[in-house]
Amino acid sequence: CKCRECSVRTLKGMKKIYLSFAGQDTVRAMKIIPLLASQEYELDFYSGAQLEDCLDQPQAADIKRLIGEKIVASNVTVCLISEHSHSSPRVELELQKSLNKGNRIIAMALKGTQEAVLPRIIREENLKFYPWDPQQLRRLLEDDRAKLFNNSR
């Protein structure tokens, strides 16, 4: 939107949220995006070629650069955890870039996930892991008082 109100809100620091999820979870992640839509923040994510499929190919550098640009433009990273997250090179890359940039990281189970191994960075940084709850996620995203990497209440 190009209206004055939206431009002012963006200039005043509209939150930009980066969604991190394993490539195998793309269909599940796309189904929940409408639940997270808000005029208070902008959602972004990588939905191109699977990084897992081209790690040893020249296009991997382009994918990593594109993901890095999206994360640099964001304020918060939401890692949607599933049974695939801990072994996904893309999730590892996204979380490492988010950590390096200083983004607040929120780890929440992807809808339908009953059990999962947490990605390395979530474990090492001792980040709180939340079960799927869109209202809780919205509250976490709206909480301006939360400190970086301290996503517990």
Side-chain angles (χ1 to χ4, degrees):
C1 177
K2 302 267 187 222
C3 74
R4 184 182 187 301
E5 180 183 342
C6 291
S7 297
V8 170
R9 187 173 57 232
T10 300
L11 290 174
K12 286 185 178 178
M14 180 179 189
K15 285 187 184 179
K16 294 189 178 191
I17 313 301
Y18 185 82
L19 297 178
S20 174
F21 50 86
Q24 300 95 313
D25 297 321
T26 300
V27 171
R28 289 171 62 195
M30 294 300 109
K31 288 180 181 177
I32 67 163
I33 286 177
L35 298 173
L36 302 177
S38 169
Q39 291 184 3
E40 301 302 315
Y41 47 82
E42 179 182 326
L43 295 173
D44 201 0
F45 52 89
Y46 174 75
S47 63
Q50 297 299 326
L51 182 60
E52 291 84 348
D53 296 337
C54 62
L55 281 174
D56 298 324
Q57 298 176 18
Q59 72 187 60
D62 291 336
I63 292 171
K64 290 176 181 179
R65 180 188 48 75
L66 178 62
I67 288 171
E69 289 171 1
K70 289 176 176 278
I71 289 170
V72 165
S74 67
N75 311 95
V76 178
T77 298
V78 175
C79 185
L80 298 171
I81 307 289
S82 76
E83 56 278 0
H84 306 290
S85 303
H86 75 283
S87 61
S88 168
R90 182 170 102 191
V91 169
E92 178 74 16
L93 173 72
E94 292 166 336
L95 290 175
Q96 188 61 58
K97 287 186 177 289
S98 296
L99 183 69
N100 292 348
K101 191 221 173 203
N103 278 10
R104 180 172 171 225
I105 298 173
I106 299 171
M108 182 169 280
L110 188 57
K111 184 177 181 179
T113 299
Q114 300 300 316
E115 207 172 284
V117 175
L118 295 176
R120 178 188 61 79
I121 290 174
I122 302 295
R123 291 189 319 265
E124 288 179 359
E125 296 296 321
N126 200 28
L127 298 178
K128 185 169 182 177
F129 170 66
Y130 297 91
W132 171 248
D133 180 345
Q135 288 77 28
Q136 173 72 15
L137 181 54
R138 190 175 300 278
R139 285 189 299 271
L140 290 166
L141 291 174
E142 292 170 356
D143 186 2
D144 286 329
R145 297 165 297 148
K147 294 188 168 118
L148 296 176
F149 305 113
N150 182 5
N151 56 9
S152 59
R153 290 193 158 239

